[in-house]
Amino acid sequence: KNEVEQSPQNLTAQEGEFITINCSYSVGISALHWLQQHPGGGIVSLFMLSSGKKKHGRLIATINIQEKHSSLHITASHPRDSAVYICAASGGGADGLTFGKGTHLIIQP
Amino acid sequence: NAGVTQTPKFQVLKTGQSMTLQCAQDMNHEYMSWYRQDPGMGLRLIHYSVGAGITDQGEVPNGYNVSRSTTEDFPLRLLSAAPSQTSVYFCASSYQWLAETGELFFGEGSRLTVL
C-alpha cells in the first residue's frame, strides 16, 4: 500500500506570499491528484498529473516521478486560498487512490 | 450541470438504525465511489463501481453496502449503524474507470452522527 505524506500539516502565511505544499509517496504511481477542500465544504479537483508541470491561474503543480515527490505552489496568495489541500496518489486500478492527510492553509490579509 | 449530488447533508442516527446515503451524477461517468473522512486521517475508500451492475470493496467496506443499478446512481447503505461510522461521507465520480486518467468530481459531503 502506498504511503502518502504531506508537509507541512499546517501553514499560515500573509497575503501575497508564495506558498509551497509538498507531497511524497512511497510506491511508484500512475498519476497524482491535488484537491482543495474549503471549511465545511466539498472537495474540488485542482490538478491531475503524471509528469512534469501544470498551471492553472495562480496555482502550479509539479511532479518528480524519480524522486516520488510532488509540489503545489500558490503565487500571490489571497485569503480566499485558505483551505485544506489534499494530494492523492494513484497506483493504478479503480481502488488505487491513497490520500494524504491534508495541509491546512490559512492566508491572513 | 448539477455534477455530483449527495443527500442528505446531515443525519443523526441511533445505534442499530439503518439508512441510505444517496449519490447521483448527471455526467454519464462510469466510475463512482464512496469515501469517508475522519479527523486526522486521509480519505478512505469504502466501495467503488466501474459501471452499472459492477461494484467492489475498498479499504473500509465493513458495515456498508452498495449497488449500481443505473449509471447515474450509487447509493451507500448503512446496515446497522455504529458510533464508529460517525464521519463525513463523500461520493465521487470520474468519466473513466481508471482513476488516474480522469478528473475526480466530488459531492458536497454528508455528515453522519451515530449516537
Side-chain angles (χ1 to χ4, degrees):
Chain A
K1 182 174 161 60
N2 215 339
E3 300 290 333
V4 177
E5 297 288 338
Q6 286 187 238
S7 62
Q9 286 187 324
N10 298 284
L11 177 58
T12 300
Q14 296 297 120
E15 183 173 357
E17 286 189 35
F18 181 82
I19 303 299
T20 295
I21 298 170
N22 297 299
C23 177
S24 297
Y25 49 92
S26 59
V27 179
I29 63 171
S30 301
L32 188 122
H33 299 254
W34 281 103
L35 312 169
Q36 179 191 57
Q37 184 175 24
H38 282 285
I43 300 170
V44 176
S45 177
L46 298 175
F47 295 102
M48 184 188 66
L49 67 166
S50 55
S51 65
K53 174 180 172 179
K54 287 191 176 180
K55 184 176 189 291
H56 185 256
R58 295 180 294 104
L59 300 178
I60 303 166
T62 63
I63 189 167
N64 185 317
I65 297 294
Q66 287 74 28
E67 295 188 2
K68 299 185 177 65
H69 181 269
S70 176
S71 292
L72 177 68
H73 305 286
I74 305 175
T75 62
S77 59
H78 190 275
R80 65 175 174 267
D81 296 325
S82 298
V84 176
Y85 292 84
I86 301 167
C87 70
S90 177
D95 64 338
L97 270 181
T98 303
F99 293 81
K101 295 180 181 179
T103 294
H104 188 194
L105 174 66
I106 297 173
I107 304 296
Q108 295 177 335
Chain B
N1 284 344
V4 179
T5 304
Q6 273 183 249
T7 56
K9 285 188 167 43
F10 300 94
Q11 183 71 50
V12 178
L13 289 177
K14 293 182 180 177
T15 297
Q17 286 184 318
S18 62
M19 76 156 299
T20 299
L21 297 175
Q22 302 289 347
C23 178
Q25 52 89 11
D26 61 358
M27 297 172 283
N28 200 32
H29 284 175
E30 292 182 355
Y31 179 84
M32 296 187 75
S33 54
W34 278 102
Y35 297 91
R36 59 179 289 173
Q37 186 178 43
D38 300 296
M41 304 185 74
L43 286 154
R44 292 181 294 169
L45 181 64
I46 305 171
H47 286 284
Y48 65 96
S49 169
V50 298
I54 305 168
T55 64
D56 209 340
Q57 296 181 349
E59 181 183 355
V60 287
N62 292 341
Y64 306 96
N65 202 1
V66 292
S67 59
R68 184 94 180 270
S69 55
T70 66
T71 300
E72 294 78 20
D73 299 298
F74 191 46
L76 178 72
R77 297 181 185 85
L78 279 70
L79 308 173
S80 178
S84 61
Q85 293 178 303
T86 294
S87 188
V88 180
Y89 292 84
F90 288 94
C91 178
S93 73
S94 178
Y95 179 66
Q96 293 176 310
W97 76 272
L98 285 173
E100 65 266 30
T101 59
E103 178 184 355
L104 281 170
F105 293 82
F106 286 84
E108 290 290 310
S110 299
R111 184 175 294 275
L112 174 66
T113 301
V114 182
L115 302 176

